[in-house]
Amino acid sequence: AGALEPRPYKPTDFRKFYDRGDFPIALEHDTKGNKIAWKVEIEKLDYHHYLPLFFDGLCETAHPYEFFARQGVHDMLEHGGKKILPVIPQLIIPIKNALNTRNVKVICTTLKILQHLVISSELVGEALVPYYRQILPILNIYKMKNLNSGDGIDYSQQKRENIGDLIQETLEAFERHGGEDAFINIKYMIPTYESCILN
Amino acid sequence: MAAVEAKPKSVRRAKYWDENVEEAYRFQLAGYRDEIEYSKFHPQEVIDRWPHNNYIKKLKRRNDGLFYYYNKERECLDKEIHKIKLYTH
C-alpha cells in the first residue's frame, strides 16, 4: 500500500534560516575535511533554539542543507554535554518528521544521529523512553528490510547504509542507554525485537 | 624576525597514523603548521583538549578566526595521512 514509498516533505525551517544566513556558521562551498566553521563557540549557543532547528534540517536531501544539518547536529551533540537533555522534548517532532519522509538516505542519517544522541550525555537515553511511541513505528516498518541477495554483494553494508542493520544497532543502543524500562517499551512497539542484554 | 626564528628545521610526510599525526592533522586543517605556529597567532590562548585522550577539541581557523571543533576519537582517515607534514624544530 506504499508504506515504504518516499513521501514529499515541505521546505524546512532549517533551509529558510540557512538561506537567510541566520546560523552562526560560515557558508562555504568547499567544506574541508567535512567540517563546519562556527562563528560562535558551540558552548555558548542557545541549544533550545538551534538544536531543534538543525534537527529540522535532517529531512533535507539537497546539498548544502543536508550536509550542514547533519554535521551541525553532530557537532552540537558532541560538544553539548548537559545542555542536550533539557532540549529532548523539542527534538521529537523533527526526528519524527525526518523518519516519516520514508526516504532511505534520510532515515539512515537520522538513525546514526539517534545513536549519537543516546550516548551524547547522561540520562538522554532514558529521557527518550516516553517518546518511543512517536519514534519507533517507522523503525518497525523498515526493520525487516534487509536484502537477501544470495551470494551477491550488498554494498550498502560497506557504506553503513543498510537500513535493517542500522535499525537493529539503534534499538540496541536505545536499550543499553535507556535504563530498565527501555526494553519493555521497545518490545511493545516492535514485537520482533529481542533484548541484547537479557539473553 | 620572529617569523624566521619560528621556521622549522625539517619536515617529513607522515606514513602511518599515530597520535602525533592526529595532532598535526588537526592543526593543519585549521591552517597552522603545528602548535608552535598556533601559539604565535594566539599567544594568550590555552588549547582546548578532550580530557580522556588529550586530543585537540577546538581551534581557531587561521584565516578568519572561526572555530573548528574536533571529535573525541581519531579523525584523520587513512587516505589523509600522506598529506600530513610533520615538522621538527
Side-chain angles (χ1 to χ4, degrees), chain A:
Chain A
L4 302 179
E5 292 301 309
R7 296 181 181 180
Y9 64 91
K10 286 184 233 144
T12 58
D13 283 344
F14 176 82
R15 182 183 285 235
K16 191 171 81 189
F17 274 65
Y18 180 88
D19 286 340
R20 231 164 40 187
D22 279 356
F23 286 116
I25 54 181
L27 312 185
E28 296 171 303
H29 295 289
D30 60 328
T31 47
K32 272 187 204 157
N34 283 339
K35 277 220 174 301
I36 294 183
W38 293 85
K39 290 179 185 167
V40 181
E41 287 162 280
I42 299 182
E43 301 88 335
K44 292 181 185 161
L45 284 179
D46 176 3
Y47 266 58
H48 280 284
H49 179 66
Y50 285 111
L51 194 57
L53 266 178
F54 274 102
F55 265 82
D56 185 57
L58 292 176
C59 293
E60 293 284 353
T61 49
H63 189 74
Y65 310 106
E66 177 267 340
F67 165 74
F68 280 107
R70 179 164 43 84
Q71 194 59 34
V73 168
H74 176 77
D75 280 4
M76 288 188 78
L77 292 181
E78 185 93 349
H79 303 274
K82 288 187 179 135
K83 291 170 99 177
I84 298 167
L85 185 62
V87 195
I88 294 290
Q90 290 168 261
L91 303 180
I92 304 305
I93 289 175
I95 291 170
K96 199 177 151 192
N97 288 342
L99 293 172
N100 251 329
T101 59
R102 304 186 189 213
N103 174 314
V104 172
K105 267 211 128 150
V106 171
I107 296 180
C108 287
T109 309
T110 312
L111 290 171
K112 288 179 203 166
I113 297 278
L114 284 172
Q115 291 179 21
H116 192 176
L117 182 64
V118 292
I119 56 161
S120 61
S121 161
E122 265 180 78
L123 299 176
V124 167
E126 288 172 44
L128 280 174
V129 177
Y131 300 105
Y132 283 175
R133 257 172 187 285
Q134 326 275 325
I135 304 170
L136 298 189
I138 305 283
L139 306 198
N140 193 25
I141 300 175
Y142 282 89
K143 183 165 177 277
M144 288 303 152
K145 198 163 180 267
N146 216 337
L147 185 71
N148 181 355
S149 55
D151 63 351
I153 298 169
D154 179 4
Y155 286 99
S156 68
Q157 293 176 353
Q158 289 176 15
K159 291 186 278 185
R160 241 186 124 222
E161 281 170 9
N162 187 303
I163 198 162
D165 290 351
L166 273 172
I167 288 174
Q168 184 64 27
E169 279 174 28
T170 310
L171 294 175
E172 288 179 8
F174 275 15
E175 188 187 349
R176 285 207 175 87
H177 300 277
E180 52 189 24
D181 297 335
F183 172 67
I184 195 153
N185 281 286
I186 297 173
K187 187 80 176 167
Y188 181 69
M189 298 306 298
I190 304 182
T192 55
Y193 180 72
E194 294 296 341
S195 174
C196 64
I197 300 173
L198 297 176
N199 299 321

Side-chain angles (χ1 to χ4, degrees), chain B:
Chain B
M1 260 165 52
V4 178
E5 282 165 25
K7 260 195 166 176
K9 265 191 280 184
S10 70
V11 57
R12 64 188 167 85
R13 295 245 176 206
K15 291 217 167 59
Y16 48 84
W17 183 89
D18 62 16
E19 284 175 359
N20 294 330
V21 174
E22 184 68 36
E23 174 101 351
Y25 170 79
R26 293 179 184 218
F27 277 115
Q28 284 164 30
L29 203 63
Y32 307 90
R33 269 199 303 255
D34 50 21
E35 188 167 358
I36 295 173
E37 195 178 37
Y38 188 81
S39 53
K40 217 174 70 188
F41 277 83
H42 310 283
Q44 309 298 334
E45 224 164 275
V46 181
I47 295 173
D48 212 348
R49 288 173 185 275
W50 288 106
H52 63 296
N53 55 9
N54 218 26
Y55 287 175
I56 294 167
K57 189 174 181 182
K58 176 174 78 178
L59 290 178
K60 270 187 191 166
R61 226 155 54 152
R62 182 170 171 158
N63 306 334
D64 43 25
L66 301 187
F67 297 95
Y68 265 163
Y69 280 82
Y70 299 90
N71 293 345
K72 286 189 185 101
E73 303 303 333
R74 173 179 170 176
E75 262 193 41
C76 177
L77 301 173
D78 280 342
K79 63 175 182 185
E80 309 281 346
I81 291 173
H82 71 282
K83 297 180 197 160
I84 307 302
K85 291 173 180 171
L86 300 168
Y87 295 90
T88 2
H89 287 269

